[in-house]
């Protein structure tokens, strides 16, 4: 049902859930449209989102702002609260209530005139990795509400707010060792009834006012009054932060031990700096926006004397229709004194192998996150190591897009990326466990996201970076550095201080008044083939699954060790052992391989998968003197065999590993089909059984040259899975 024009400035439409929405529009002066909203947020809930950083084709021209929303949704752990802030919000509660009963994923625990309290159920079964984003969480409730208000008629109405870092723990097992404050919220989203929209290209601004009605309940005529909550300055002077000088450098040294063991490829711990606010939050917001223009500038009054003031450089997840895009940022250098010295810094940054590795690993993980929810073959790097310049820093940035597959929505895309590798590390789950054990304070909003979820199905969010959290008059600035094995502890500590410096300056100064080309078509050698992909908690497994799906195969991803009934249910023609951190013993790979061999199934191992196969046949594993994480290598192919059919004698591949199979101890039934320049076994094949493995990552950006990675996957499907299926028939 389309929009009906009610009058010159009013329109009406009906949502998917039967809610009648009436929108009234009025023009407002463009020049200072946002300014009054910024002032209002000192004492009233709401948000201002703007982009004052130009980059063609990436950042949008729109600013939006809301103040005094009638309804808010917040959560702590698996408990969610829907709260009405005025009479109009109470009407919205009544409209929502009809859709919140009778769900297996959650249940209403209490209903009051101004509140609905909801408990989220624990998962009652194992969710495969492909359906992970549909497990019961607070997002199960958000999906129901978005569905009730869904309409393609308006792209501005929706949820505005912030998503906290701890939301990721609803999906992944990360035991919490840091104590959370009793009043910490994991989510706060506002449903507004009035939205300011600013179009900078057309130099126009307008305000849309909304009324909602369902089954005789309407917001029209209801009380819109909300009492202000003036900002309160802190009386005490806080400590420097949660680290003393030198402590962060010691943390870097601990991380290097994890890199050496192969538990981590990279990790992004942060430290928090504290400052008393002697200026109003609005003044800090204006100052930050002036000195540090950014793609995702925001100012949010969350209520309860809590504010977020940010100048985030990084898009988190943006969804338009079925297109999903992200812009991972990694690789950092200090700005020069002038344009000439800036250019010298840019060259230094682009020539830094460490910074290149940082971004490579981030983008490989990002591609993996998209591969979980996107159409096979649609995930593409459309911008590589692009330069972005901020007030004190220069960054390298990749731009990655994909197309959501049928049945997936913006929330699936959002949750598949939670949280970005640029604020956690890789493998992501192991990095998050390291952070929980080694950071000094909980992250709260840092590393999460801010932005809007439109009721038309779109989403636009930025990472909560370069953000000042103000709570009870004390400003917190958290900053991290991307650590690798070759990180210098003192330099990384200095980088966190540099990143925080622009935020701290804004706080102190405010008181003074102040695409890529399309690849070849993948051969559909996997049609009719079922593949079981065993996930060893790696951060690239879904890109690997995506590659196999591009062959036409059906892929089911399950974390190892794999139970008997999974083999019976999936009935695979091929088992793929994924890469992963740690060693094969960490995942009881021997047990999984024993089941595979008992069923006489073809198996292909990647990195940890090769190590597990070599070990299960009696081979020994060794540790590299220097880990090879996110580094390209030229390998020599000694025998085309299964994996390298149709490829040349030398191939560039991407490596992420610390452990490797000892050449001398390899069982005689395995032949080595490729080696690296440093003498490491890079590929093996069994002489008589359908077993093959590689030490490198065919799904990595580094293996994209000549489409080598995809061609290897086609070979594995054609020569292992397909051949075995034919022989069985």
């Amino acid at each position: 049902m389309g929009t009906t024009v009610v009058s010159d400035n009013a329109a009406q439409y009906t949502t998917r859930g039967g809610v009648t929405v009436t929108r009234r529009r009025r023009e407002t002066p463009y020049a200072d449209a946002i300014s009054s909203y910024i002032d209002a947020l000192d004492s009233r809930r709401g948000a201002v989102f703007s982009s004052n950083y130009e980059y063609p084709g990436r950042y949008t021209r729109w600013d939006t702002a809301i103040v005094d929303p009638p309804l808010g949704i917040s959560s702590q752990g698996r408990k969610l609260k829907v709260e009405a802030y005025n009479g109009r919000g109470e009407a919205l509660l009544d409209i929502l209530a009809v859709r919140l009963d009778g769900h297996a994923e959650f249940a209403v625990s209490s209903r009051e005139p101004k509140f609905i309290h909801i408990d989220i159920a624990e998962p009652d079964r194992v969710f495969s990795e492909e359906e992970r984003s549909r497990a019961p969480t607070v997002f199960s409730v958000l999906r129901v509400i978005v569905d009730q208000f869904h309409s393609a008629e308006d792209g501005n109405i929706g949820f505005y707010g912030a998503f906290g870092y701890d939301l990721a723990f609803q999906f992944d097992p990360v035991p919490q060792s840091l104590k959370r404050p009793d009043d910490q919220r994991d989510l706060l989203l506002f449903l507004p009834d009035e939205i300011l929209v600013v179009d900078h290209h057309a130099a126009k601004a307008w305000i849309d006012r909304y009324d909602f009605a369902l089954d005789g309940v309407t917001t029209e005529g209801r009380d819109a009054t909300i009492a202000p909550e003036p900002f309160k300055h802190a009386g005490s002077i806080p400590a420097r932060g949660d680290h003393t000088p030198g402590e962060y450098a010691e943390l870097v040294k601990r991380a290097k031990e994890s890199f050496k063991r192969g538990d981590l490829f990279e990790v992004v711990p942060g430290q928090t700096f504290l400052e008393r606010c002697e200026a109003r939050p609005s003044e800090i917001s204006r100052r930050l926006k002036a000195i540090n223009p950014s793609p995702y500038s925001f100012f949010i009054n969350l209520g309860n004397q809590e504010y977020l003031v940010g100048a985030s450089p990084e898009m988190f997840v943006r969804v338009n229709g079925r297109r999903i895009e992200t812009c991972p940022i990694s690789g950092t250098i200090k700005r020069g004194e002038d344009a000439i010295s800036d250019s010298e810094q840019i060259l230094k940054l682009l020539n830094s192998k460490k910074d290149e590795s940082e971004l490579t690993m981030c983008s490989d993980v990002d591609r993996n996150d998209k591969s979980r929810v996107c159409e096979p073959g649609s995930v593409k790097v459309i911008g590589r190591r692009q330069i972005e310049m901020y007030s004190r820093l220069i960054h390298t940035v990749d731009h990655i897009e994909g197309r959501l597959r049928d049945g997936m929505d913006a929330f699936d895309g959002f949750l598949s990326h939670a949280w970005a590798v640029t604020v956690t590390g890789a493998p992501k789950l192991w990095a998050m466990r390291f952070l929980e054990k080694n950071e000094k304070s909980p992250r709260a909003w840092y590393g999460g996201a801010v932005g809007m979820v439109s009721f038309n199905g779109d989403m636009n969010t930025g990472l909560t970076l370069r953000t000042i959290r103000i709570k009870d008059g004390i400003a917190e600035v958290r900053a991290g550095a991307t650590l690798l094995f070759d990180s210098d502890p003192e330099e990384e500590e200095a980088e966190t201080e540099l990143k925080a410096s622009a935020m701290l300056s804004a706080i102190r100064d405010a008181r003074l008044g102040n695409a890529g080309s399309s690849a070849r078509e993948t051969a559909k050698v996997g049609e009719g083939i079922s593949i079981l992909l065993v996930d060893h908690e790696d951060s690239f497994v879904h890109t690997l699954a995506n590659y196999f799906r591009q062959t036409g195969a059906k892929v089911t991803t399950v974390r190892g060790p794999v139970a008997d009934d999974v083999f019976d249910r999936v009935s695979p023609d091929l088992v793929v052992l994924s890469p992963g951190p740690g060693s094969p013993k960490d995942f009881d790979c021997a047990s999984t391989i024993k089941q595979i061999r008992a069923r006489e199934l073809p198996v292909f191992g990647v990195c940890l998968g090769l190590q597990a196969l070599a070990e299960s046949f009696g081979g020994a594993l060794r540790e590299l003197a220097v880990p090879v994480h996110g580094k390209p290598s030229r390998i020599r192919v000694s025998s085309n065999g299964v994996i390298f059919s149709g490829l040349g004698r030398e191939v560039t591949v991407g490596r992420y590993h610390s452990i490797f199979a000892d050449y001398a101890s390899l069982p005689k039934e395995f032949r080595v089909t490729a080696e690296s320049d440093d003498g490491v076994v890079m590929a093996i094949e069994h002489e008589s059984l359908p077993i093959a493995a590689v030490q490198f990552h065919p799904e990595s950006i580094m293996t994209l040259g000549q489409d080598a990675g995809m061609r290897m996957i086609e070979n594995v499907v054609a020569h292992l899975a397909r051949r075995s299926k034919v022989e069985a028939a």
Side-chain angles (χ1 to χ4, degrees):
M1 183 176 180
T3 300
T4 301
V5 176
V6 178
S7 64
D8 289 344
N9 66 344
Q12 196 173 82
Y13 61 88
T14 302
T15 72
R16 182 182 289 164
V19 179
T20 300
V21 180
T22 304
R23 182 187 64 215
R24 296 174 176 85
R25 177 169 297 178
R26 67 181 188 274
E27 302 291 325
T28 192
Y30 167 77
D32 61 349
I34 288 287
S35 182
S36 63
Y37 282 77
I38 293 175
D39 290 334
L41 293 185
D42 281 330
S43 59
R44 297 156 72 185
R45 294 183 192 89
V48 171
F49 295 116
S50 60
S51 176
N52 53 342
Y53 186 96
E54 286 296 324
Y55 201 104
R58 186 181 298 170
Y59 303 123
T60 59
R61 70 193 196 187
W62 306 100
D63 289 352
T64 55
I66 63 170
V67 70
D68 282 342
L71 190 83
I73 299 175
S74 62
S75 72
Q76 286 183 310
R78 303 187 75 82
K79 293 187 179 298
L80 182 141
K81 178 174 69 175
V82 188
E83 180 178 359
Y85 302 132
N86 59 15
R88 292 173 63 80
E90 291 176 23
L92 281 167
L93 271 188
D94 291 338
I95 289 171
L96 288 175
V98 299
R99 287 290 302 276
L100 295 178
D101 285 323
H103 296 275
E105 298 90 350
F106 59 86
V108 174
S109 58
S110 66
R111 171 75 164 92
E112 303 168 37
K114 289 187 177 294
F115 298 99
I116 297 177
H117 293 274
I118 296 173
D119 292 335
I120 312 298
E122 295 287 348
D124 59 357
R125 64 181 178 86
V126 174
F127 283 77
S128 73
E129 290 299 291
E130 287 78 11
E131 57 179 352
R132 171 179 178 270
S133 54
R134 296 302 173 108
T137 64
V138 296
F139 292 88
S140 304
V141 182
L142 298 183
R143 272 199 177 92
V144 170
I145 297 173
V146 169
D147 184 70
Q148 185 177 17
F149 285 95
H150 183 276
S151 172
E153 302 301 317
D154 194 319
N156 292 319
I157 188 66
F159 288 132
Y160 290 70
F163 302 85
Y165 177 80
D166 282 3
L167 286 172
F169 301 155
Q170 297 199 16
F171 296 92
D172 280 316
V174 177
Q176 293 186 4
S177 55
L178 293 167
K179 186 181 186 318
R180 269 62 176 174
D182 293 338
D183 62 350
Q184 177 177 302
R185 293 172 286 184
D186 300 337
L187 170 85
L188 184 61
L189 298 176
F190 297 129
L191 200 171
D193 57 0
E194 186 171 283
I195 304 171
L196 168 71
V197 181
V198 181
D199 181 348
H200 290 297
H201 286 195
K204 295 175 66 175
W206 64 89
I207 295 170
D208 284 336
R209 175 78 170 178
Y210 295 85
D211 275 297
F212 307 90
L214 177 69
D215 296 335
V217 177
T218 180
T219 57
E220 197 154 5
R222 298 291 292 267
D223 179 27
T225 305
I226 299 176
E229 181 189 4
F231 173 67
K232 297 176 183 176
H233 296 275
S236 60
I237 298 175
R240 173 184 185 265
D242 62 358
H243 286 65
T244 57
E247 275 194 301
Y248 191 90
E250 291 301 314
L251 188 156
V252 177
K253 294 174 185 176
R254 293 199 298 276
K256 286 164 79 77
E257 292 301 314
S258 292
F259 300 140
K260 189 173 182 180
R261 288 192 301 271
D263 294 346
L264 299 171
F265 306 143
E266 63 178 6
V267 70
V268 194
Q271 65 168 315
T272 298
F273 302 87
L274 302 176
E275 192 86 12
R276 183 171 64 175
C277 289
E278 297 183 18
R280 296 191 308 274
S282 61
E283 294 168 331
I284 296 172
S285 175
R286 284 192 171 93
R287 183 62 183 160
L288 182 60
K289 193 169 182 179
I291 67 173
N292 199 35
S294 68
Y296 285 90
S297 177
F298 55 92
F299 176 25
I300 310 174
N301 181 338
L302 299 163
N304 301 340
Q305 290 295 311
E306 186 173 18
Y307 304 79
L308 294 178
V309 180
S312 177
E314 184 167 347
M315 179 190 299
F316 179 53
V317 170
R318 186 161 72 190
V319 177
N320 293 102
R322 291 178 63 195
R323 181 178 185 256
I324 180 172
E325 60 180 324
T326 52
C327 294
I329 292 179
S330 200
T332 302
I333 199 166
K334 187 177 180 179
R335 286 287 298 267
E337 297 298 321
D338 52 34
I340 300 301
S341 53
D342 269 347
S343 69
E344 293 169 351
Q345 290 292 83
I346 290 170
L347 286 174
K348 191 184 298 183
L349 178 59
L350 290 176
N351 285 315
S352 166
K353 291 301 180 185
K354 173 188 175 291
D355 287 290
E356 182 179 5
S357 292
E358 282 185 20
L359 185 58
T360 293
M361 285 194 265
C362 290
S363 292
D364 270 344
V365 175
D366 186 280
R367 292 165 65 236
N368 177 75
D369 292 338
K370 285 185 181 58
S371 295
R372 192 200 308 259
V373 295
C374 287
E375 291 179 351
S378 70
V379 179
K380 300 185 186 304
V381 180
I382 59 177
R384 174 65 173 161
R385 297 199 80 196
Q386 298 171 320
I387 292 293
E388 288 188 4
M389 303 175 72
Y390 295 92
S391 62
R392 304 188 183 197
L393 301 168
I394 304 171
H395 292 303
T396 46
V397 184
D398 283 356
H399 192 183
I400 303 172
E401 69 171 6
R403 185 172 176 81
L404 292 172
R405 68 176 188 263
D406 287 344
M408 292 289 165
D409 59 18
F411 283 127
D412 291 301
F414 183 91
L415 294 173
S416 185
H417 289 75
W419 289 113
V421 65
T422 48
V423 294
T424 55
K428 194 182 291 187
L429 187 53
W430 283 52
M432 292 172 78
R433 290 173 183 154
F434 178 91
L435 295 174
E436 183 67 22
K437 290 178 182 177
N438 288 277
E439 288 190 317
K440 301 288 288 290
S441 58
R443 290 191 162 196
W445 303 107
Y446 175 83
V450 297
M452 65 173 296
V453 180
S454 301
F455 290 155
N456 69 351
D458 293 345
M459 175 182 285
N460 191 0
T461 57
L463 266 179
T464 314
L465 295 175
R466 313 291 157 81
T467 296
I468 302 164
R469 179 196 181 213
I470 302 169
K471 178 66 173 147
D472 297 324
I474 302 296
E476 302 173 6
V477 176
R478 199 179 192 105
T482 302
L483 310 184
L484 304 178
F485 179 75
D486 42 3
S487 288
D488 178 273
E490 286 71 30
E491 288 182 4
E492 300 293 4
E493 180 165 329
E495 182 176 314
T496 65
E497 293 171 351
L498 178 62
K499 286 178 175 176
S501 64
M503 313 296 113
L504 295 171
S505 291
I507 299 165
R508 295 163 184 165
D509 294 347
R511 67 172 176 259
L512 303 176
N514 299 306
S517 59
S518 58
R520 67 183 179 87
E521 185 174 349
T522 304
K524 297 300 181 184
V525 294
E527 290 181 350
I529 297 292
S530 173
I531 295 175
L532 174 61
L533 177 52
V534 182
D535 177 12
H536 299 124
E537 297 186 353
D538 187 66
S539 285
F540 310 134
V541 66
H542 297 292
T543 303
L544 189 61
N546 181 298
Y547 274 40
F548 279 101
R549 288 192 183 99
Q550 289 181 58
T551 70
K554 178 185 177 183
V555 181
T556 301
T557 312
V558 176
R559 290 184 182 175
V562 182
D564 280 341
D565 66 301
V566 172
F567 283 96
D568 297 335
R569 175 162 49 86
V570 175
S571 187
D573 302 299
L574 171 69
V575 180
V576 178
L577 302 178
S578 89
S583 70
K585 290 184 175 65
D586 289 322
F587 304 96
D588 194 11
C589 290
S591 158
T592 300
I593 293 171
K594 183 178 179 180
Q595 294 181 76
I596 293 169
R597 293 189 65 187
R599 291 169 168 79
E600 299 182 346
L601 294 171
V603 60
F604 175 60
V606 178
C607 203
L608 182 85
L610 180 147
Q611 298 155 22
L613 286 166
E615 193 173 53
S616 73
F617 278 84
L621 303 181
R622 292 171 54 197
E623 189 174 286
L624 289 170
V626 178
V628 183
H629 296 154
K631 302 285 198 303
S633 276
R634 194 75 174 164
I635 65 170
R636 299 184 304 276
V637 178
S638 56
S639 170
N640 284 70
V642 166
I643 301 166
F644 301 104
S645 177
L647 292 168
R649 289 299 180 186
E650 288 195 353
V651 182
T652 298
V653 300
R655 295 168 64 180
Y656 293 86
H657 67 104
S658 301
I659 300 171
F660 64 100
D662 178 58
Y663 199 132
S665 69
L666 270 178
K668 64 180 185 304
E669 58 263 42
F670 278 110
R671 77 191 147 91
V672 175
T673 59
E675 296 176 62
S676 63
D677 287 338
D678 55 355
V680 175
V681 173
M682 284 287 113
I684 58 174
E685 295 183 19
H686 198 280
E687 292 285 3
S688 58
L689 299 176
I691 298 174
V694 294
Q695 177 65 60
F696 55 87
H697 284 239
E699 80 288 351
S700 171
I701 286 174
M702 297 174 285
T703 321
L704 285 176
Q706 300 177 331
D707 209 20
M710 190 66 237
R711 291 168 70 180
M712 293 175 202
I713 297 301
E714 291 172 359
N715 287 335
V716 167
V717 173
H719 298 299
L720 282 183
R722 173 69 62 190
R723 186 174 65 193
S724 293
K725 191 175 181 74
V726 170
E727 289 171 357

